Amino acid sequence: MKLVVHGLIDKRAEIVGKIEALQAQLAQHLADLDSLERSIRIFEPDIDLGDAPVKPVPPANAAFRGEVQRFLLDTIRKSDVALTTLDLARMIMEARGLNTSDKALRKLIGTRTGHSLSKLRQKGFVVAEKANAGGLLRWQMTGKQGDDVGGWRNGSG
């Protein structure tokens, strides 16, 4: 029973630490916003910033164009063995700090990973072989260098 309580106390401490970090981050953003609003008022003293548009924050699983493909090429290039789509999706999630136990997110990232790998295969950077009878694929480099992978959002391009 003490082990359970100890584990719960550790988890609580982790969450409290995250909350404190977020509060510090919020305080910094509020100070930045205040400075920015004072700068705007230098040029437009009578402006009503309450009507100014709010730009939504992109979701944590959004990626810049080409980012996933570059990660995949780098990971496959450094690996001594062929990696499955699921292995690569898990590595992407871990590298980006995403919750690997979230089943829906795992499926989404797996689908996006498969799409990015298909694009890389079309460009001739990687090849796939069947890993099992269920259709799971293992990926490895072809030898072509991935220098022309780039852009801004989600590797489509």
Side-chain angles (χ1 to χ4, degrees), residues 47-66:
I47 193 167
D48 181 15
L49 293 172
D51 296 336
V54 176
K55 196 174 189 178
V57 176
N61 60 2
F64 290 110
R65 186 173 181 174

Side-chain angles (χ1 to χ4, degrees), residues 79-145:
S79 176
D80 295 333
V81 297
L83 298 167
T84 67
T85 306
L86 296 178
D87 291 337
L88 290 163
R90 180 185 43 76
M91 290 174 176
I92 288 171
M93 291 181 73
E94 288 171 354
R96 299 180 75 202
L98 301 175
N99 182 4
T100 56
S101 61
D102 182 339
K103 197 172 186 179
L105 184 58
R106 221 175 35 234
K107 182 175 181 175
L108 175 68
I109 299 299
T111 301
R112 289 181 179 174
T113 301
H115 178 72
S116 293
L117 288 164
S118 294
K119 290 276 193 181
L120 290 172
R121 179 173 44 195
Q122 289 171 0
K123 293 177 182 178
F125 295 123
V126 296
V127 292
E129 62 185 34
K130 290 237 182 208
N132 63 20
L136 188 63
L137 298 175
R138 289 192 196 282
W139 299 88
Q140 56 190 13
M141 296 297 294
T142 60
K144 182 177 178 181
Q145 295 300 313

Side-chain angles (χ1 to χ4, degrees), residues 40-48:
I40 291 170
R41 290 192 197 290
I42 291 172
F43 298 101
E44 280 291 328
D46 299 329
I47 193 167
D48 181 15

Side-chain angles (χ1 to χ4, degrees), residues 10-29:
D10 281 351
K11 187 63 175 176
R12 181 190 180 284
E14 177 185 335
I15 292 171
V16 168
K18 286 180 181 180
I19 290 170
E20 288 176 356
L22 287 171
Q23 287 173 335
Q25 189 178 12
L26 176 62
Q28 181 61 52
H29 286 306

